[in-house]
Amino acid sequence: MSGQRVSKRESLEQVKYLWRDEVVDELSGVDRLVYRSNKLGEDLTLTNTGGGNTSSKLTETDPLTGASVEVLWVKGSGGDLRTTKRDGFASLYLDKVRAMKTRYLGDSDRGPKTKIEDEMYPMYSHCVFNLNPRACSIDTPLHTFVPYRHVDHLHPNAVIAIAASVNQERLCKEIYGDEIIFVPWQRPGFDIGLRIEQLIKENPQAKGVLLGHHGMSSWNDDDKTCYETALEIIDRAAAYIAAHDRGEQTFGGEKYQPLSEIERRRIIAEIIPFLRGQISINNRFVGTVQDDEKMLRFTGSHDGPRLAVLGTSCPDHFLRTKIKPLFVEWNPQSRDTEALKTSIAEGLVQYRKDYEAYYNTRKRPDSPRMRDPNPTVVLIPGLGMIAWGKNKSESRVTAEFYNCAIEVMRGAEAIDRYEAMDQQEAFEIEYWSLEEAKLRRLPPEKELDRQIVVVIGAGAGIGKATAHRVVKDGAHVVCVDLDATSAKKTAQEIIGQYGEGIGVAGTGISNCGPAIGLACDITNRESVRQMFSAVMLAYGGLDAVIVTAGVFVPPDKSGRVEDRQWGLTFGINVTGAYIVADEAYAIFKEQGLPANVVLTTSANAVVAKKGSLAYDTSKAAANHLVRELAIEMAPLVRVNAVAPATVVKGSTMFPRDRVIASLTKYEISFSEDEETEELRNKLAAFYATRSLTQTPIEPEDQAEAIFALVSQRLSKTTGHVIPVDGGLQDGFLR
């Protein structure tokens, strides 16, 4: 690992060298640490989302005394190297943290997994510099006691492949000589931090450490050299693995050929709602599909089932992926989806039994209660992987971590034999009190968390407002419109507000965030089916469908509507709503999970008047469609509707010419020079005067009612139409 610094960039073949002196030279202090961390996280071969931590020991001014003090800045718990900023780092008085060593050594019962180990973590709150609220990493002792100013702790696949090999210590020596210390697996804490401190004293030439079944760390008094040392350690491991790559015999070679992309995605879309229903017996899950070449190679290999059942090797992995995935037995060449569902159901029964046994045989009297025994990773030959989480971000991270686990297995099997972590050790990480405390610190779930909601008509008006409303309370939303551009615009507004989420996994449409935009013609059943198939691939299921799409065809000057316009009106307002509900119901039945359908009708459905004959009768039919569907889909699905009146703002059914015609009809003064939105506001104000509440009705008012119907707030209501019209006495239900 020697050589001139100027040649580092050229000498690295397996990793990306991203450091730029011209950028770093403009930075100082914590900002340099943030830069280093972001560059390490940016290369996905170096660490995974949320994994790893970095630190710098910096001189700061004490805000209380004004004196210069040494401060340990370390990436905070739960943060992500790729995206973290200054507020993602904990800051601790270095002398106070080091003083904790006396407290630890004074306990005669100290050591790995002892009571004093866990008692040390809360003590960090007494060491906080400048009232920083960020919780520090459980790896803080490692960063504290390494006697260098900068430390990078990472979880690279190539290094973990060595650390998860049967002969890990021998391989470490062979690859790194005496430049890297080897430490067998030990849970993070004070004991291992002090152990590494002692090993550095005994091996002053060491530039880093390889941690069995865990990862690696590099260190230096110069931050750039620390960064480069981390890259060198990983590059050397990756090069060693590449030299031993097994090519076509990776994972024992191919057992099953993958299905074509079209065929496998057709089958995934067909079976995934069934799978979601089966694993969601305790909590609903959101899915991510991974069917790229590497995943298909593993799931279709001879050794895939053997390796999968061994379990994962790195604690960062199985905290998300559980101790092992469900590997479904199925021959993809049969294309028999009913046989696949049977195999899934049987596999899940056995998986739950295995997980319960894993818990019951390893639990201690003070262990937290058993968590959900269903798998978070499902592997299917010929199809790939479906990963699950409480939201899209979590399922993407889970998928990312199992991709990492596969790469670890590939590397370990190339150079030696893969060795999973001891299951008792794995259990004590998974059910560690500090991990349990981290879970308890998470914010409470929102009302629509874990749910996937399709909003049809989301390009404008009520649909757009509804999409924004359900996302606010945690839903993943599919924005659907006849106009693809407007649907995608609404989805992008949501992503702009809430972010893409985290995790770098998912192929095709499944590599998405909390919202997507799709085009659909609801009068065409095939178009509706294709839309729902895309939803299945994106999120793995469906919990509610909201139809706000509608059409109003104004009559001609004689007051007539042509026959084809009658057909269009009923095709969208009635038949289209039925087709959407009917196709959704097929998915709901596969899932077996309670679900919701909400249609949008109108106050016009019960108010007879001139000028809107086709529209009014179509909405009356839609009202009755709600009642019929409620009966047909009970008890699994609740079907309701909202009945707006005169929602002018943002509505595609109130183009400028219709607004002007209405203003003229009601003798409301206006100027042709006024903007369309100003004219709409005038018309809305007039309509408001005809209601009992004397208030304009806006899309957000409808969205609030729709939210109430798809939440649990009206969980005993089905077959009903809720008026949101400001109080129109002619529209009172009879």
Side-chain angles (χ1 to χ4, degrees), residues 635-694:
L636 187 65
V637 184
R638 292 190 298 115
V639 184
N640 294 286
V642 295
T646 59
V647 180
V648 180
K649 179 183 174 182
S651 173
T652 57
M653 288 194 289
F654 278 89
R656 184 180 180 88
D657 57 350
R658 183 184 176 192
V659 174
I660 290 175
S662 296
L663 292 172
T664 302
K665 174 182 175 181
Y666 297 120
E667 299 180 347
I668 302 169
S669 63
F670 68 93
S671 168
E672 290 282 358
D673 296 333
E674 291 182 82
E675 296 289 334
T676 299
E677 202 56 38
E678 292 180 61
L679 298 178
R680 283 176 170 162
N681 290 338
K682 284 187 175 183
L683 184 58
F686 168 75
Y687 284 146
T689 64
R690 303 192 306 179
S691 71
L692 297 176
T693 61
Q694 299 278 293

Side-chain angles (χ1 to χ4, degrees), residues 212-234:
H213 287 286
H214 190 167
M216 50 75 59
S217 296
S218 64
W219 47 70
N220 203 273
D221 283 331
D222 176 74
D223 55 358
K224 180 179 179 180
T225 304
C226 184
Y227 168 83
E228 292 177 338
T229 302
L231 264 57
E232 286 184 87
I233 294 170
I234 299 162

Side-chain angles (χ1 to χ4, degrees), residues 170-186:
R170 176 182 61 78
L171 287 167
C172 180
K173 186 72 173 177
E174 181 178 333
I175 296 168
Y176 300 112
D178 64 355
E179 293 177 293
I180 299 298
I181 298 165
F182 174 79
V183 177
W185 161 254
Q186 185 174 319

Side-chain angles (χ1 to χ4, degrees), residues 35-101:
Y35 177 86
R36 187 173 101 234
S37 304
N38 292 164
K39 293 301 142 185
L40 289 169
E42 198 173 316
D43 184 349
L44 300 179
T45 65
L46 306 188
T47 196
N48 38 257
T49 297
N53 34 71
T54 51
S55 70
S56 291
K57 301 177 181 79
L58 304 173
T59 302
E60 305 281 2
T61 300
D62 192 310
L64 186 62
T65 66
S68 293
V69 292
E70 287 297 298
V71 175
L72 172 67
W73 290 89
V74 60
K75 194 208 78 171
S77 175
D80 176 48
L81 287 177
R82 184 171 62 256
T83 59
T84 193
K85 302 303 177 191
R86 189 185 183 98
D87 62 1
F89 287 84
S91 53
L92 305 169
Y93 288 97
L94 185 59
D95 60 346
K96 291 186 177 181
V97 183
R98 284 177 171 165
M100 291 169 63
K101 179 177 180 179

Side-chain angles (χ1 to χ4, degrees), residues 105-161:
L105 293 176
D107 193 300
S108 59
D109 192 32
R110 65 183 181 273
K113 297 186 287 187
T114 57
K115 183 180 179 183
I116 186 64
E117 277 276 10
D118 289 356
E119 288 177 348
M120 297 303 289
Y121 186 81
M123 300 300 292
Y124 293 127
S125 61
H126 297 286
C127 307
V128 171
F129 170 78
N130 202 20
L131 304 179
N132 188 344
R134 176 64 65 177
C136 59
S137 166
I138 59 174
D139 288 303
T140 296
L142 181 152
H143 293 272
T144 301
F145 296 117
V146 168
Y148 293 90
R149 292 178 60 82
H150 307 284
V151 180
D152 292 331
H153 172 62
L154 305 170
H155 305 127
N157 295 335
V159 173
I160 299 176

Side-chain angles (χ1 to χ4, degrees), residues 19 93 126 298 300 334 369 376 492 508 512 577 590 662 679-680:
W19 187 280
Y93 288 97
H126 297 286
F298 181 74
S334 72
R369 63 182 178 83
T376 57
Q492 282 304 126
C512 64
E590 283 291 304
S662 296
L679 298 178
R680 283 176 170 162

